[in-house]
């Protein structure tokens, strides 16, 4: 048959594109991670030095350790906050109604805003002198008046989490809403008749049935939180100090501020390994036969 | 224990009315069966009593108290859902025990009550399975056990036996009847199986298109159906209905079909009804009507004989040993005391004086 060959011809451009823009750079960076290559010394890659970069990163680099810690805290708080808020909002928006469906339609907007822009607008909102949030917090809690949110290591990480949650929660709410609308309504009704309060219905019937969807949301959000970069650049610049330097931002710093391409590639690959591990887990979870619970 | 009242209850979705201005007084301890074809509003009526659906108009009272604004959990009801509504992540044991758990019954006592309820529907061997590991009939029995595990004020059962095999259906039906008699719990039971309605009910409400067509004891519903719909819906095989003219107490139809009805005051188009078991097939010349055999079907416990009398086809129920050749001539005898006459225009029953 002719079209047996035709189909390969048709996917060839796409395959070449992926090869050229994804596979090739990845391969190059993997090779680079085993070489000594500082742009300050040479424009061409230096000699192979084996796994030295990896050993350094994992055993002897306070910056890497710090970034790992920052990333871990960021992921933990960000994922928890996103899942809890998305679940809460989805439960509130679940009922039918004009107002509810209108809100559902508006929910997609924050996700349409580019993350870099989110970072910039949050920087303005948390500006110590003219930020609307600083003003709001100062009005509600007097001793927070004029507080320099982005000057405090802990607060600035929380602001970073807040900006990311603002962008992601509405989208994840829609995902959870989809999961909720796929649940049969009889088990919940049966529980109500059996004498369960709304809280007990949620705990004993709705949440267990929703668990697979929540797991998908959590893993997906973990993957994206691990890659946190845009808002770090535009909102906190990794600081104060290194308090918001995530792994992705560290890679960027090593490569384009200190020009150590070899080491940056190695750290990038450590991050990639974590992401691949999670992605595989995620695929396993969603490819499991549906309606498992 | 309580009586349940529906007063002028209507349920509409947009312009579609599922239940129309329905009034129903269910007595304390009564076994009320809602019977009707698919889509006639049985489940909707039941869901309104349970509080899962809010009536568009009218009042619902349980034990004399208006419950329109009371959530389901405060109505003290146990319900068997048409689609079971089991808790998918709980074992059979936990499903059945959930109403008890919510009432703070713990440990050994709960386990004992769960086992007793499971035994009533032959589920003891499956207590540790999950719903998805059960067949349809087994799931239905879990739903039933979950309802009977406690003593509510009202039982609501929405076709609780529809998925059981014939044998289990008979035994479970008896179990339900016995249980209801013993506990004296007011029960509303939905079915479209007439045998279930006849055997279980104190009273039957026959519904069609969101309205109750007749509300009475099974005997009256069967012996004196109020209109053509009830007459045609109740009975298997259904009542023979012959279109014709009625005058001076005598019914005639095309092709020479005739019968004496005893209804003096009616004349005009009418429908004569006679149940298959009230028709006797006699040797030719020995009955009221001449007829010929159209078909003979053996159902096991009886023989259904379809005969052609005039232009009408009549089904008669004969003894299971009865046999005849198709096409042979016979005579029909109609039990005069069990003839039903309906006005063709209003479809209402005309009562003999
Ligand atoms: N949520 C709903 N929205 C709109 N129409 C509905 C809704 N629920 C039920 N109906 C309609 O109301 C009518 C009555 O439904 P109901 O479930 O009470 O029927 P039923 O008598 O229980 O039938 P069955 O014997 O098939 O279970 C049907 O025509 C159905 O389509
Ligand atoms: Mg129904």
């Amino acid at each position: 048959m002719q079209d047996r060959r035709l189909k390969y011809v048709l996917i060839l451009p796409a395959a070449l594109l992926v090869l050229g823009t994804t596979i090739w750079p990845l391969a190059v960076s993997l090779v680079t991670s085993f070489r000594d290559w500082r742009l300050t010394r040479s424009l061409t890659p230096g000699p192979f030095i084996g796994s030295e970069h990896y050993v350094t990163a994992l055993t002897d680099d306070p910056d890497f350790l710090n970034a790992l810690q920052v990333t871990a805290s960021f992921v933990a708080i960000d994922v928890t906050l996103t899942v809890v808020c998305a679940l809460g909002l989805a439960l509130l928006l679940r009922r039918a109604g004009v107002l509810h469906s209108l809100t559902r339609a508006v929910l997609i907007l924050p996700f349409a805003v580019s993350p870099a822009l989110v970072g910039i607008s949050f920087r303005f909102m948390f500006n110590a002198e003219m930020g609307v949030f600083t003003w709001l917090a100062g009005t509600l809690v007097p001793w927070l008046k004029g507080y320099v949110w982005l000057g405090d290591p802990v607060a600035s990480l929380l602001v970073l989490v807040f900006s990311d949650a603002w962008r992601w929660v509405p989208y994840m709410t829609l995902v959870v809403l989809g999961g909720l609308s796929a649940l049969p309504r009889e088990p919940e009704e049966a529980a109500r008749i059996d004498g369960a309060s709304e809280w007990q219905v949620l705990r004993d019937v709705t949440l267990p049935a929703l668990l697979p969807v929540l797991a998908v949301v959590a893993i997906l959000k973990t993957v994206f939180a691990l890659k946190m970069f845009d808002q770090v650049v535009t909102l906190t610049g990794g600081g104060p100090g290194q308090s918001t330097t995530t792994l992705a931002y560290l890679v960027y710093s090593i490569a384009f501020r200190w020009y150590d391409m070899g080491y940056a590639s190695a750290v990038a690959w450590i991050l990639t390994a974590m992401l691949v591990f999670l992605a595989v887990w995620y695929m396993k979870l969603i490819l499991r036969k549906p309606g498992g619970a | 224990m309580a009586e349940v009242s529906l007063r002028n209850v209507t349920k509409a979705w947009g312009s579609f009315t599922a239940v129309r201005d329905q009034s129903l007084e269910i007595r304390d301890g009564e076994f009320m069966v809602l019977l009707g074809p698919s889509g006639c509003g049985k489940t909707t009526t039941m869901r309104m009593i349970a509080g899962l659906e809010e009536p568009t108009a009218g009042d619902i009272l349980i034990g004399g108290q208006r419950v329109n604004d009371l959530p389901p959990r405060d109505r003290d009801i146990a319900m068997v859902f048409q689609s079971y509504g089991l808790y998918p992540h709980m074992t059979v044991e936990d499903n059945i025990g959930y109403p008890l758990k919510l009432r703070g019954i713990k440990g050994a006592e709960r386990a004992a009550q769960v086992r007793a309820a499971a035994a009533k529907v032959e589920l003891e061997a499956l207590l540790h399975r999950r719903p998805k590991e059960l067949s349809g009939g087994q799931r239905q029995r879990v739903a039933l056990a979950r309802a009977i595990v406690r003593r509510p004020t009202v039982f609501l059962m929405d076709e609780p036996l529809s998925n059981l095999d014939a044998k289990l259906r008979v035994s479970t039906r008896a179990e339900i009847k016995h249980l209801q008699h013993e506990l004296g719990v007011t029960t509303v039971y939905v079915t479209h199986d007439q045998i279930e309605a006849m055997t279980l009910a104190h009273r039957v409400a026959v519904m069609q298109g969101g309205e109750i067509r007749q509300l009475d004891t099974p005997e009256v519903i069967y012996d004196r159906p109020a209109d053509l719909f009830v007459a045609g819906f109740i009975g298997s095989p259904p009542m023979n209905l012959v279109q014709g003219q009625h005058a001076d107490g005598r019914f005639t139809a095309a092709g020479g079909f005739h019968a004496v009805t005893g209804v003096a005051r009616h004349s005009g188009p009418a429908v004569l009804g006679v149940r298959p078991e009230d028709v006797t097939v006699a040797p030719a010349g020995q009955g009221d009507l001449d007829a010929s055999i159209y078909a003979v079907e053996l159902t096991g416990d009886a023989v259904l004989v379809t005969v052609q009398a005039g232009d009408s086809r009549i089904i008669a129920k004969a003894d299971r040993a009865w046999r005849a050749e198709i096409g042979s001539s016979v005579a029909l005898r109609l039990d005069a005391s069990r003839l039903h006459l309906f006005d063709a225009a209003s479809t209402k029953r005309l009562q003999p004086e």
Side-chain angles (χ1 to χ4, degrees):
Chain A
M1 278 201 258
Q2 272 186 332
D3 35 39
R4 180 166 290 189
R5 221 165 344 125
L6 182 70
K7 67 185 176 191
Y8 294 112
V9 175
L10 287 177
I11 55 169
L12 191 68
L16 284 177
L17 201 70
V18 170
L19 198 73
T21 60
T22 306
I23 311 286
W24 177 246
L26 271 175
V28 169
S29 77
L30 185 61
V31 172
T32 308
S33 74
F34 294 105
R35 307 175 91 155
D36 184 23
W37 183 18
R38 295 172 203 229
L39 279 181
T40 43
R41 292 190 204 143
S42 143
L43 279 177
T44 50
F48 281 92
I49 52 169
S51 59
E52 196 186 301
H53 287 319
Y54 290 92
V55 175
T56 310
L58 295 173
T59 61
D60 189 30
D61 181 3
D63 287 348
F64 177 81
L65 239 133
N66 172 69
L68 199 64
Q69 258 166 19
V70 168
T71 308
S73 317
F74 177 80
V75 168
I77 307 173
D78 193 29
V79 171
T80 313
L81 189 71
T82 307
V83 172
V84 169
C85 291
L87 177 64
L89 277 175
L91 289 171
L92 287 176
L93 288 173
R94 192 183 178 190
R95 299 165 192 226
V98 183
L99 208 66
H100 293 85
S101 45
L102 213 77
T103 315
R104 282 195 290 259
V106 169
L107 271 184
I108 199 65
L109 285 181
F111 203 62
V113 178
S114 106
L117 197 60
V118 172
I120 290 174
S121 45
F122 268 73
R123 197 165 77 204
F124 279 112
M125 288 198 282
F126 281 87
N127 183 291
E129 271 131 45
M130 55 169 201
V132 63
F133 186 88
T134 316
W135 171 80
L136 195 67
T139 309
L140 293 176
V141 189
W143 57 266
L144 282 176
K145 213 175 197 85
Y147 188 73
V148 189
W149 288 90
L150 296 174
D152 179 284
V154 176
S156 62
L157 187 71
L158 292 181
V159 172
L160 194 67
V161 167
F162 186 38
S163 78
D164 196 48
W166 180 86
R167 187 170 119 81
W168 274 97
V169 164
Y171 175 75
M172 289 306 191
T173 302
L174 290 178
V175 175
V176 178
L177 267 173
L180 277 174
S181 68
L183 296 184
R185 64 179 184 169
E186 282 84 5
E188 290 180 320
E189 292 176 342
R192 273 183 204 117
I193 288 179
D194 282 347
S197 63
E198 285 309 304
W199 161 245
Q200 285 166 324
V201 172
L202 181 68
R203 187 195 60 191
D204 296 340
V205 182
T206 315
L207 282 187
L210 203 58
L211 220 52
V213 175
L214 292 181
V216 164
V217 166
I219 295 181
L220 212 57
K221 191 65 201 71
T222 305
V223 169
F224 284 102
L226 272 175
K227 300 196 299 183
M228 184 51 166
F229 178 71
D230 299 46
Q231 287 117 295
V232 181
V233 177
T234 57
L235 177 59
T236 66
Q242 292 197 40
S243 62
T244 56
T245 299
T246 57
L247 277 172
Y249 189 71
L250 181 69
V251 171
Y252 168 80
S253 300
I254 298 170
F256 301 111
R257 287 159 85 179
W258 306 324
Y259 298 116
D260 190 340
M261 305 317 266
Y263 190 49
S265 298
V267 175
W269 269 94
I270 295 174
L271 180 58
T272 306
M274 297 200 265
L275 290 172
V276 167
F277 175 77
L278 278 170
V280 169
W281 191 28
Y282 168 76
M283 290 312 281
K284 262 195 185 155
L285 201 79
I286 60 168
L287 291 183
R288 222 173 40 183
K289 81 173 164 49
Chain B
M1 311 302 106
E3 60 279 353
V4 176
S5 316
L6 306 187
R7 304 217 170 127
N8 305 100
V9 171
T10 295
K11 177 72 202 183
W13 282 282
S15 62
F16 176 76
T17 308
V19 172
R20 194 183 306 272
D21 195 25
Q22 188 164 293
S23 293
L24 181 62
E25 300 285 332
I26 304 166
R27 297 173 198 134
D28 183 17
E30 185 171 30
F31 201 120
M32 171 69 75
V33 169
L34 304 182
L35 181 66
S38 187
C40 70
K42 307 182 294 290
T43 300
T44 307
T45 303
M46 187 164 268
R47 288 172 59 86
M48 286 192 287
I49 298 174
L52 297 172
E53 218 74 74
E54 208 179 320
T56 315
D59 290 328
I60 295 174
L61 292 86
I62 297 178
Q65 189 202 354
R66 185 175 179 275
V67 295
N68 284 42
D69 306 315
L70 221 55
R73 64 183 301 236
D74 296 327
R75 298 192 184 191
D76 194 24
I77 275 170
M79 178 160 169
V80 182
F81 284 73
Q82 189 168 8
S83 48
Y84 320 140
L86 302 181
Y87 310 126
H89 54 282
M90 293 187 202
T91 61
V92 168
E93 183 171 18
D94 291 343
N95 262 282
I96 301 174
Y98 191 61
L100 302 177
K101 184 179 163 198
L102 292 172
R103 281 164 186 77
I105 299 171
K106 292 197 173 64
E109 195 189 337
R110 182 160 89 213
Q113 293 185 24
V114 166
R115 232 170 294 123
K120 290 202 169 81
V121 291
E122 302 178 27
L123 271 178
E124 303 102 307
L126 306 172
L127 282 179
H128 297 292
R129 298 237 192 125
R130 276 168 210 276
K132 69 175 174 197
E133 299 158 351
L134 299 176
S135 75
Q138 289 166 338
R139 287 179 206 185
Q140 193 157 40
R141 283 182 279 153
V142 177
L144 195 56
R146 185 177 61 186
I148 63 177
V149 75
R150 64 185 197 95
R151 306 288 108 96
T153 312
V154 181
F155 275 131
L156 301 177
M157 303 190 178
D158 199 346
E159 307 195 18
L161 307 181
S162 59
N163 261 319
L164 304 190
D165 64 59
K167 188 157 158 272
L168 204 54
R169 186 179 300 204
V170 170
S171 64
T172 313
R173 196 170 70 201
E175 190 68 59
I176 291 179
K177 179 144 197 176
H178 181 81
L179 193 78
Q180 201 270 342
H181 179 78
E182 196 165 285
L183 304 177
V185 175
T186 312
T187 303
V188 185
Y189 187 104
V190 165
T191 182
H192 38 217
D193 181 317
Q194 324 161 23
I195 312 274
E196 264 170 44
M198 293 291 158
T199 50
L200 289 171
H202 294 136
R203 286 192 300 161
V204 179
V206 183
M207 295 180 61
Q208 188 209 13
E211 292 178 55
I212 294 181
R213 286 313 187 85
Q214 187 171 11
L215 172 62
D216 221 314
T217 61
E219 293 86 348
V220 173
I221 299 252
Y222 197 80
D223 290 336
R224 276 179 281 139
D227 62 18
L228 273 176
F229 171 77
V230 179
F233 189 73
I234 308 281
S236 173
M239 182 186 282
N240 296 295
L241 295 171
V242 182
Q243 311 271 350
Q245 290 292 327
H246 184 249
D248 304 327
R250 192 178 153 82
F251 176 87
T252 47
F257 187 100
H258 59 88
V260 176
T261 61
V263 179
R265 279 200 312 258
H266 176 270
S267 66
V271 178
L272 184 84
V274 59
R275 294 203 180 276
E277 59 269 36
D278 299 330
V279 180
T280 314
V281 185
Q286 295 182 22
D288 314 326
L289 284 169
D290 292 330
S292 64
I293 305 277
Y294 185 78
V296 178
E297 298 158 283
L298 176 65
T299 61
D301 61 342
V303 167
L304 297 181
V305 192
T306 309
V307 299
Q308 182 87 38
D311 286 356
S312 315
R313 257 177 222 151
I314 305 278
I315 295 180
K317 207 176 209 172
D319 184 83
R320 66 172 185 267
W322 196 92
R323 292 291 182 278
E325 287 298 319
I326 289 179
S328 59
S329 292
V330 289
L332 290 186
R333 273 203 295 268
L334 311 180
D335 185 340
S337 64
R338 286 178 167 167
L339 290 181
H340 310 266
L341 190 69
F342 303 92
D343 181 65
S346 70
T347 78
K348 293 277 179 272
R349 176 185 186 81
L350 298 164
Q351 198 63 37
E353 283 85 49

